[in-house]
Amino acid sequence: MLLPALAMVFGMGNGCKQNRSRPPDVWAVVNGQEIKREDVDKYYRTRVNPEGQEPSQEEALTLKLNVLDELINNEILLERAKKLNLEASDGEVEDKFTEMKSPYTEDEFQRQLKDRKVTVDDLKRDLRRQLSITKLLNREVVAKISITDQDVTDTYNSNKAQFTSSNPATGYPKSLSLRGRNSRSAT
């Protein structure tokens, strides 16, 4: 498992225009934009619970490779969003920032940032990137999806047994999963 992951990292450089003269902290280059180890580490820290158990070395490497892959894909999508003039505005970024901050007191919010070693500027930059990519996906993918009533009827009719068979323990359809306050599944 570890060898294919390492091969992927070392092989990725060819598709990302890697230049051998780059410093070792540059893990990938996408259309001239460097993705550095510190970028991967920063996003990695946002995915690991600082109060939880530290992941094993293999789990950490796998997660870092997933983060690197996500950063590469996001860089490609962000470049496309810029070309299509779909970058998030300052107002959109501020609105999302305020929304994210609202459940916390100022002290709690600052502690969250400190625990994750993220600055307000880092967070706003990431929000701009995420919002821009969302705008791109909404325009280029979601807007082109069309599901008609006939599509729904056809799918239901083709999979009727799935919707009408019930779980003897609950009486609910097998495909239905309910989660209550105690988070027990009804399936």
Side-chain angles (χ1 to χ4, degrees):
M1 166 109 179
L2 190 54
L3 289 177
L6 289 173
M8 184 176 83
V9 168
F10 293 117
M12 247 189 286
N14 295 335
C16 296
K17 301 178 186 174
Q18 185 176 1
N19 185 340
R20 295 207 188 280
S21 66
R22 301 230 187 248
D25 69 326
V26 175
W27 282 16
V29 179
V30 181
N31 297 324
Q33 184 69 32
E34 292 180 343
I35 299 174
K36 297 182 178 182
R37 179 187 185 128
E38 67 187 64
D39 300 322
V40 173
D41 287 341
K42 187 176 288 188
Y43 285 96
Y44 169 80
R45 284 190 301 270
T46 66
R47 288 174 170 81
V48 176
N49 183 354
E51 299 168 6
Q53 182 179 349
E54 189 71 23
S56 71
Q57 186 176 1
E58 185 175 345
E59 290 169 333
L61 178 59
T62 299
L63 185 54
K64 286 182 180 185
L65 287 172
N66 289 338
V67 166
L68 179 60
D69 184 55
E70 183 178 328
L71 291 173
I72 290 168
N73 288 327
N74 285 350
E75 195 59 45
I76 293 166
L77 292 170
L78 189 60
E79 184 175 305
R80 178 79 174 146
K82 286 177 183 176
K83 282 183 182 177
L84 295 173
N85 200 26
L86 295 172
E87 283 187 283
S89 69
D90 292 343
E92 291 169 320
V93 173
E94 284 302 320
D95 289 348
K96 189 66 172 176
F97 177 76
T98 302
E99 178 186 323
M100 285 184 70
K101 191 176 174 182
S102 67
Y104 304 101
T105 65
E106 184 63 30
D107 288 342
E108 290 172 334
F109 184 73
Q110 291 301 324
R111 190 182 79 246
Q112 289 280 333
L113 292 176
K114 184 180 176 188
D115 287 349
R116 305 237 187 255
K117 297 178 183 163
V118 175
T119 66
V120 169
D121 289 339
D122 291 337
L123 181 57
K124 287 183 178 182
R125 186 190 76 235
D126 292 343
L127 287 173
R128 183 176 308 279
R129 293 170 64 90
Q130 290 171 6
L131 291 168
S132 298
I133 290 169
T134 298
K135 288 172 81 170
L136 171 71
L137 294 175
N138 285 341
R139 178 175 166 199
E140 296 294 307
V141 179
V142 175
K144 296 177 181 177
I145 296 173
S146 174
I147 300 174
T148 65
D149 289 343
Q150 187 61 48
D151 293 334
V152 173
T153 301
D154 291 347
T155 300
Y156 174 78
N157 289 333
S158 298
N159 299 288
K160 209 175 222 178
Q162 215 178 353
F163 294 107
T164 57
S165 298
S166 64
N167 181 334
T170 64
Y172 293 115
K174 289 181 181 177
S175 61
L176 180 63
S177 176
L178 301 177
R179 299 210 180 261
R181 287 185 187 195
N182 60 6
S183 296
R184 288 192 340 223
S185 177
T187 58

